[in-house]
Amino acid sequence: MTHYIYLVRHGEHLDAEHGLVDGPLSPRGQRQAAAIADRLSGVPLEAVWHSPLQRAEQTAHAVAERLTAVSPTPSALLFDCVPTGMTPETPAAYEPFFGAVTEAEIEAGSAQMADATAEFLRRRSGEVHELLITHNFVIGWFVREVLGAPDWRWLTLNQAHCGLTVIAQKPGRPWTLLTHNDLSHLPWELRTGLPEPLPF
């Protein structure tokens, strides 16, 4: 019996290009959310968790509309955050990014991710299918955790809007990464949110 966790980054939010921290989904974000909802419509999800931010909440509700037995539940553990600061192993190229992040934000993000992985990567009994709709850095941290990669590696694990990442655990075995940032449900024009555009 396997415990599956489906990790999805929220859809694009309105006026994101103007630096707004949060907002409703843009028209393109609504299409992205509909696409991931269609993709997951056949999965027997038992729970849909989402970040309390509006863009994640709206993405979660788009999925839940196709799953009448599941109600989306907000979790503060899935808020957008910065899990670490610069470490001795972090490449110097990332220093400008951390220049705008306070020590308090890093401390809070680190504590949040410790709690989040302890909560969601806790083995449940039986066959379990859970969906977490959250943010780029949070998903990067979960993937890094599952792979046992150095802490700074979350910086290199990026997800497109409504990209699908799946991790799983069988009894007695470690967590495994089944797929990362799968975009097969998104047409080319909906593949947004990556720091560098895909070459295909």
Side-chain angles (χ1 to χ4, degrees), residues 110-185:
S110 177
Q112 177 190 318
M113 285 296 91
D115 290 345
T117 52
E119 173 63 24
F120 291 110
L121 297 184
R122 177 170 48 87
R123 172 68 189 169
R124 272 71 161 170
S125 60
E127 188 88 0
V128 179
H129 297 263
E130 297 181 292
L131 171 62
L132 277 55
I133 297 180
T134 180
H135 304 276
N136 188 36
F137 296 164
V138 175
I139 298 172
W141 185 262
F142 269 86
V143 174
R144 182 219 61 80
E145 182 78 11
V146 165
L147 295 178
D151 284 357
W152 66 271
R153 274 294 184 176
W154 66 270
L155 287 159
T156 67
L157 296 164
N158 292 290
Q159 289 68 222
H161 293 123
C162 288
L164 176 63
T165 294
V166 184
I167 58 177
Q169 185 188 47
K170 293 181 181 294
R173 298 186 185 181
W175 282 93
T176 301
L177 179 65
L178 298 185
T179 185
H180 177 250
N181 196 38
D182 182 350
L183 306 181
S184 60
H185 52 286

Side-chain angles (χ1 to χ4, degrees), residues 47-97:
V48 176
W49 303 92
H50 65 84
S51 158
L53 293 179
Q54 188 177 12
R55 57 192 186 267
E57 180 182 17
Q58 289 189 348
T59 304
H61 280 277
V63 174
E65 285 176 2
R66 291 161 170 78
L67 303 165
T68 56
V70 178
S71 297
T73 304
S75 172
L77 297 177
L78 299 177
F79 261 124
D80 202 6
C81 70
V82 176
T84 68
M86 287 289 293
T87 70
E89 296 79 24
T90 308
Y94 292 103
E95 285 186 17
F97 168 81

Side-chain angles (χ1 to χ4, degrees), residues 6-20:
Y6 305 83
L7 296 159
V8 171
R9 186 182 180 189
H10 59 80
E12 178 188 79
H13 72 277
L14 199 62
D15 293 329
E17 68 273 16
H18 300 306
L20 297 184

